[in-house]
Amino acid sequence: MADIAKLVEELSQLTVLEAADLAKALEEAWGVSAAAAVAVAAAPAGEAAAVEEKTEFDVILTGDGGKKINVIKEVRAITGLGLAEAKALVEGAPKAVKEGINKAEAEEIKKKIEEAGGTVELK
């Protein structure tokens, strides 16, 4: 078996034209195409980009983490709900705290509730 490090070193010294000629020679010798591999590799990246383009998020309270009072206070501050409504929301988790908000606001709300002791999920 060839020394891999030596082979890598030799290949890194090729010019762009030499590397292109090598690619063509390997495609012909092995019956494969580098373009097909690139197209397959690009598909998952496209799917990831579609997921990242989400613009509206829901902040879902999943639990109070044993610090119900602190989480109720934070939910009241975020939503403007009264004490009874905020308590019902926290006790009824998982429930949406805010829906259809931008990512920055959702991340900030998540951070505040987690600092109060609660657990949050962004959807």
Side-chain angles (χ1 to χ4, degrees):
M1 176 136 217
D3 182 16
I4 302 291
K6 183 178 178 184
L7 185 59
V8 169
E9 183 180 326
E10 289 176 17
L11 289 174
S12 65
Q13 294 175 3
L14 294 176
T15 66
V16 175
L17 292 176
E18 292 170 333
D21 289 340
L22 175 62
K24 287 179 188 176
L26 292 175
E27 287 175 359
E28 290 172 8
W30 295 337
V32 296
S33 172
V38 171
V40 171
E47 291 171 13
V51 171
E52 291 177 320
E53 292 177 18
K54 185 174 179 180
T55 58
E56 290 188 354
F57 294 86
D58 297 339
V59 179
I60 310 296
L61 176 68
T62 57
D64 62 23
K67 298 187 177 191
K68 186 181 350 181
I69 294 173
N70 292 339
V71 175
I72 291 171
K73 288 178 182 178
E74 198 58 51
V75 167
R76 285 187 69 201
I78 292 167
T79 61
L81 292 173
L83 180 59
E85 292 87 0
K87 181 178 182 241
L89 189 149
V90 171
E91 290 175 345
K95 285 208 172 183
V97 176
K98 280 218 169 183
E99 297 177 324
I101 59 175
N102 65 43
K103 185 174 183 174
E105 185 178 357
E107 290 288 341
E108 186 172 327
I109 291 171
K110 178 181 179 184
K111 181 181 174 189
K112 287 180 180 180
I113 292 175
E114 287 177 344
E115 285 175 355
T119 56
V120 178
E121 182 179 309
L122 298 180
K123 290 188 177 182

